[in-house]
Amino acid sequence: MLHAQRKENISPAPYSVRPQKRVNKAFMTDSLSWFLRLNGGHVHRWKYGSIIRPDGSTGSTTWHDFVSHHKEYYPIRAESTLMNMLVATLERDFDTVIEFGVGDKKSLSGKTMKILSALPLLRHYYAVDFSRDSLDVAHDYLSKHIPEIALHDVLADFYETPVRPKGRYVLGSFLGATVSNLNMMVDGQFPRAELISNLQKLTSDSKGRDGGALVFSFDSNEDWNQVRRAYTHPDYERVITGIMYDIAVDLKPEGDFDPAVWQHVQIVDEKNYVAHQCVTPSRDQYFKLGDCVFDIKKGCTPLVVVNTFKIPLDVMTDIVDESGLDYALGPIKSKDHSMVMLGIC
């Protein structure tokens, strides 16, 4: 059974959120480090954004189109089959839930509400997300379905912003295999230390006055042909290349920057358990962004928008062991697919 880890003599910390950054400044900083190839995959947090593109879409609506239309994208569908098993393991003493990254209405009804409805002592729900659109959708939906619960919206990067929830026993929810969105360059090394740090940070946030636990999901798929098919679809091309339109609209690069010439490229690195989802231009791009001038040639090493890691269960359990965390819940999994849930504290 997944239960809150009890801690003795822990003083409650007041809940606070540091002042919001100016979005343009943060987006500019991430984009510059990306084009300078100082990092890869870190811009993934912008792909669910609310910038309105020339075709009227946004990052969040484009993502919704993809997951709604592409039948071979399995993680969301597979994870949903584990929810009843997860709920059955939950002790009923959690009075606070923190969700690190919120989904659309389908995710809210199929995952979030199942967890919240199973907790009779629930008093507080915290949604932590980098997308204002996602927070608004979650707040509107949950305020109608559980009006008696205090809803707290936290507009922030959950890896950077400390969350200090109210409540005695806190359950952190980190589903959607979001744990696998790690930074890595093409031909880089598996970011083991980053994954350990992320798990430690979110588990620390998932603690109330008397204890808590974090439940997270990940994809352990080792069938790389299935992985390739899952991320091959015209709507996913729009998800990945859409960030170039956001850069054009919001950051206004000078010179020959054409978002329409950037194409999605998937590069699989089985040794490091990752499919890099990248962009590369079909013709040379010469432009100025901020104080930097870029001359990006056709055929250059692609830029990584997001890393979709598929981490075997034995590797993930080794990482949890290295993190110094304890297990609150053994693996929840199915013989029918590769999604796995673990509880840690």
Side-chain angles (χ1 to χ4, degrees):
M1 298 288 284
L2 178 59
H3 58 277
Q5 182 193 32
R6 269 72 175 176
K7 294 288 187 181
E8 300 299 330
N9 301 320
I10 296 180
S11 300
Y15 174 71
S16 63
V17 181
R18 66 186 184 186
Q20 181 187 353
K21 302 175 185 176
R22 289 180 55 196
V23 174
N24 279 2
K25 183 177 179 181
F27 191 22
M28 176 68 81
T29 299
D30 281 355
S31 299
L32 286 173
S33 66
W34 187 49
F35 284 124
L36 289 167
R37 299 182 185 275
L38 302 178
N39 213 337
H42 64 295
V43 294
H44 73 85
R45 64 181 184 168
W46 297 99
K47 74 179 191 291
Y48 307 112
S50 56
I51 297 170
I52 299 175
R53 300 167 183 170
D55 65 356
S57 69
T58 66
S60 58
T61 61
T62 302
W63 174 256
H64 178 75
D65 289 344
F66 166 64
V67 299
S68 299
H69 297 156
H70 188 31
K71 302 305 181 186
E72 294 206 63
Y73 182 73
Y74 61 87
I76 293 176
R77 182 177 65 255
E79 184 182 65
S80 67
T81 68
L82 302 179
M83 290 306 301
N84 288 339
M85 286 187 280
L86 171 62
V87 168
T89 69
L90 294 176
E91 291 286 353
R92 302 301 187 252
D93 51 359
F94 293 107
D95 59 357
T96 301
V97 169
I98 305 178
E99 189 161 20
F100 300 103
V102 296
D104 58 13
K105 289 182 180 179
K106 186 175 182 179
S107 175
L108 290 165
S109 63
K111 294 190 291 187
T112 304
M113 278 301 300
K114 283 190 175 181
I115 292 174
L116 303 185
S117 300
L119 304 175
L121 301 181
L122 184 66
R123 296 295 179 267
H124 297 276
Y125 168 82
Y126 291 79
V128 189
D129 204 288
F130 200 69
S131 167
R132 179 77 266 173
D133 282 357
S134 296
L135 289 174
D136 289 344
V137 168
H139 192 100
D140 291 346
Y141 181 90
L142 295 176
S143 63
K144 294 174 183 176
H145 288 80
I146 48 171
E148 69 279 10
I149 303 303
L151 304 178
H152 308 266
D153 298 341
V154 183
L155 180 63
D157 184 328
F158 43 70
Y159 288 138
E160 296 180 359
T161 302
V163 181
R164 298 292 181 260
K166 300 176 182 178
R168 294 183 60 200
Y169 300 115
V170 175
L171 174 65
S173 175
F174 195 38
L175 303 181
T178 310
V179 70
S180 65
N181 292 340
L182 301 165
N183 299 328
M184 180 180 170
M185 304 282 282
V186 173
D187 296 326
Q189 298 298 312
F190 178 67
R192 198 178 191 94
E194 180 188 353
L195 179 52
I196 289 173
S197 176
N198 290 347
L199 290 174
Q200 290 172 333
K201 192 273 180 189
L202 297 186
T203 303
S204 176
D205 284 348
S206 302
K207 283 183 170 61
R209 296 191 299 275
D210 297 320
L214 172 74
V215 60
F216 70 96
S217 67
F218 62 98
D219 187 3
S220 63
N221 201 349
E222 297 182 66
D223 180 349
W224 288 101
N225 287 328
Q226 185 185 30
V227 171
R228 288 182 177 91
R229 293 194 302 271
Y231 299 95
T232 302
H233 190 273
D235 283 339
Y236 195 68
E237 173 112 6
R238 294 175 60 225
V239 168
I240 296 301
T241 61
I243 191 172
M244 312 312 288
Y245 289 91
D246 293 345
I247 289 171
V249 169
D250 208 41
L251 304 183
K252 298 177 173 55
E254 302 172 23
D256 182 26
F257 182 85
D258 184 355
V261 307
W262 294 82
Q263 302 171 330
H264 170 222
V265 177
Q266 182 173 203
I267 301 173
V268 171
D269 179 355
E270 297 183 24
K271 179 182 177 182
N272 287 299
Y273 323 114
V274 65
H276 303 289
Q277 310 301 334
C278 311
V279 291
T280 189
S282 60
R283 64 174 172 82
D284 296 352
Q285 297 280 276
Y286 185 81
F287 60 94
K288 181 180 180 182
L289 186 65
D291 295 328
C292 299
V293 175
F294 298 95
D295 186 7
I296 301 178
K297 301 295 186 182
K298 174 184 177 180
C300 69
T301 301
L303 295 160
V304 181
V305 177
V306 60
N307 292 302
T308 48
F309 282 90
K310 310 297 176 181
I311 305 174
L313 177 57
D314 61 331
V315 175
M316 184 61 82
T317 54
D318 284 346
I319 287 169
V320 172
D321 291 341
E322 287 180 40
S323 72
L325 300 169
D326 295 321
Y327 289 97
L329 170 69
I332 295 176
K333 56 192 181 75
S334 168
K335 61 181 178 57
D336 297 324
H337 57 73
S338 55
M339 293 297 292
V340 182
M341 291 180 180
L342 284 176
I344 54 179
C345 57

